[in-house]
Amino acid sequence: MERVVITGIGLITPCGLTTDETWRSLLDGASGIRRVTQFDPDGFPVAIAGEVPGFDPDAHLTRVKRKETARFSQLSIVASRAAVADAGLELDDETRQRCGTVIGVGLGGLEEIDKYSQVLRERGARKVSPYFIPQVIANLAAGQVAIDQGLQGPSYCTTSACASSAHAIGDAADQIRLGRTDVMLAGGAESTITKLGLAGFATMFALSRRNDAPEAASRPWDEGRDGFVMGEGAATLVLESLSRARGRGARIYAEVAGYGASCDAFHITKPDPEGTGARRAMEMALRDAAVATDAVGYVNAHATSTPAGDTQEAKAIEALFGDHATRSGGLWVSSTKGATGHLLGGAGALEAAVSALVVARGAVPPTLNLHALDPEVRLDCVPLEARERAVDHALSNSFGFGGTNAALVLSRV
């Protein structure tokens, strides 16, 4: 089978409008969490989120394209253009026929559902936009990216809650491995910082309520954590067969060396308290990559800053990696959600991209706001400050409602 590598990365996140801005912000320990500006959050129990600062669709898209797209698709189009440019990918007719698109999305155009539900109630059915359905359906991020780039290979969406875009990368890599395509644009996008989205997660008591201290609200593994912070953004990776990438002299960030997926089959929102499903996904990814546990230098954890989820994942990592996970100088584990918040369906792609950059650049972003490590966690969670380390193999974890789990191994070529 073909080996699959990452040759391009495009990021738009709460920490920056480009890949380099996001990467530098993560290493500097800067937070992207702020008071919500897309609507007035007064009266909401939660008023903070990780919004993309300064994103202007008018600067990137035509008037017609803006009308037919929701924000998640707009973010994905722009991130995908950046990824293609970063890869130096020349899209001739033959390449377009052998290039596909898989973009993971959890909820789709929630802001348009908010908007047109109100239009329907107040102004009637005839005032609902004919663009409404194409705006909101989750696969239109992939569809719009394919249209924008003229890509004629397979195009679809993976929707598996907060593991959506990790599954997208795993599925896209398999398309190349099996010889069905030569190139894939794979990633994720999400934009659910709306009245309905914020209210829904808040009433579940899933979100941090540190409204008076937004930058300190997302605090994975910290004893004082009180829930996650919603984020938005998009991440697209250009995946190519290794032979093709080498043949055109492309710069390679990392290899997508392994992919594992499992289900807890336990609860609609709560993780298995023993972390068995998470552990199996990681085991499968390492087996797929033929990488031993003690060869892994870094894990970008799913750790969202929820009391149950963070400890469950830590238990799963320790159970799998054994002494390597707890000895000094062994495994380093961090959660970049301390800086970005939780991008939901877009999280897996962003964090896989970060893991690939760790492999390529030899620096590990810290876990922000980790001042007092939960006593149940025995891992080195890289608190507060970035570190330098040569990492040959990194693991990126993504878990979601319904007990869905995905893990990716990113390796040096």
Side-chain angles (χ1 to χ4, degrees), residues 233-367:
T236 300
L237 311 182
V238 175
L239 307 185
E240 293 186 61
S241 66
L242 177 60
S243 59
R244 186 184 192 282
R246 281 179 169 165
R248 69 180 186 88
R251 180 265 326 279
I252 294 172
Y253 287 104
E255 178 180 1
V256 182
Y259 169 47
S262 70
C263 183
D264 291 353
F266 174 74
H267 189 269
I268 56 170
T269 58
K270 297 177 183 177
D272 177 348
E274 298 305 315
T276 54
R279 175 178 175 171
R280 285 190 298 108
M282 290 186 281
E283 283 179 324
M284 285 187 280
L286 290 171
R287 189 183 313 120
D288 189 34
V291 170
T293 53
D294 61 3
V296 177
Y298 172 66
V299 175
N300 187 293
H302 181 69
T304 64
S305 187
T306 57
D310 290 8
T311 51
Q312 167 267 329
E313 183 176 10
K315 288 178 182 178
I317 291 171
E318 184 175 345
L320 176 59
F321 286 91
D323 291 344
H324 182 56
T326 55
R327 66 177 173 83
S328 177
L331 186 67
W332 290 357
V333 183
S334 75
S335 172
T336 45
K337 290 185 178 76
T340 65
H342 188 1
L343 269 63
L344 306 177
L350 168 57
E351 290 153 18
V354 169
S355 299
L357 290 168
V358 168
V359 170
R361 297 181 178 178
V364 173
T367 304

Side-chain angles (χ1 to χ4, degrees), residues 146-162:
I147 292 167
D148 188 63
Q149 299 288 338
L151 308 180
Q152 299 168 34
S155 173
Y156 59 95
C157 171
T158 49
T159 297
S160 46
C162 303

Side-chain angles (χ1 to χ4, degrees), residues 85-354:
D86 184 50
L89 193 63
E90 295 185 8
L91 291 171
D92 56 25
D93 290 345
E94 183 178 356
T95 301
R96 286 189 167 96
Q97 291 175 14
R98 296 280 297 171
C99 180
T101 315
V102 188
I103 306 293
V105 176
L107 286 168
L110 200 55
E111 80 274 20
E112 302 300 330
I113 295 174
D114 260 359
K115 173 182 174 181
Y116 285 109
S117 294
Q118 184 173 350
V119 168
L120 179 63
R121 287 192 303 270
E122 296 179 356
R123 301 171 62 193
R126 294 182 182 276
K127 295 299 183 180
V128 173
S129 170
Y131 292 115
F132 168 63
I133 296 300
Q135 285 174 337
V136 303
I137 53 179
N139 81 298
L140 255 293
Q144 289 285 5
V145 168
I147 292 167
D148 188 63
Q149 299 288 338
L151 308 180
Q152 299 168 34
S155 173
Y156 59 95
C157 171
T158 49
T159 297
S160 46
C162 303
S164 295
S165 54
H167 283 132
I169 293 169
D171 280 8
D174 282 347
Q175 293 280 351
I176 298 173
R177 283 179 169 187
L178 295 172
R180 293 172 177 162
T181 60
D182 299 322
V183 184
M184 295 291 292
L185 269 58
E190 200 79 275
S191 182
T192 57
I193 303 171
T194 68
K195 293 180 180 180
L196 189 60
L198 199 66
F201 280 113
T203 56
M204 294 174 64
F205 294 96
L207 300 180
S208 172
R209 301 194 177 201
R210 293 176 184 264
N211 294 321
D212 58 342
E215 294 181 352
S218 185
R219 42 199 319 115
W221 295 300
D222 188 81
E223 278 192 286
R225 67 192 185 276
D226 67 330
F228 74 85
V229 177
M230 290 179 68
E232 66 172 359
T236 300
L237 311 182
V238 175
L239 307 185
E240 293 186 61
S241 66
L242 177 60
S243 59
R244 186 184 192 282
R246 281 179 169 165
R248 69 180 186 88
R251 180 265 326 279
I252 294 172
Y253 287 104
E255 178 180 1
V256 182
Y259 169 47
S262 70
C263 183
D264 291 353
F266 174 74
H267 189 269
I268 56 170
T269 58
K270 297 177 183 177
D272 177 348
E274 298 305 315
T276 54
R279 175 178 175 171
R280 285 190 298 108
M282 290 186 281
E283 283 179 324
M284 285 187 280
L286 290 171
R287 189 183 313 120
D288 189 34
V291 170
T293 53
D294 61 3
V296 177
Y298 172 66
V299 175
N300 187 293
H302 181 69
T304 64
S305 187
T306 57
D310 290 8
T311 51
Q312 167 267 329
E313 183 176 10
K315 288 178 182 178
I317 291 171
E318 184 175 345
L320 176 59
F321 286 91
D323 291 344
H324 182 56
T326 55
R327 66 177 173 83
S328 177
L331 186 67
W332 290 357
V333 183
S334 75
S335 172
T336 45
K337 290 185 178 76
T340 65
H342 188 1
L343 269 63
L344 306 177
L350 168 57
E351 290 153 18
V354 169

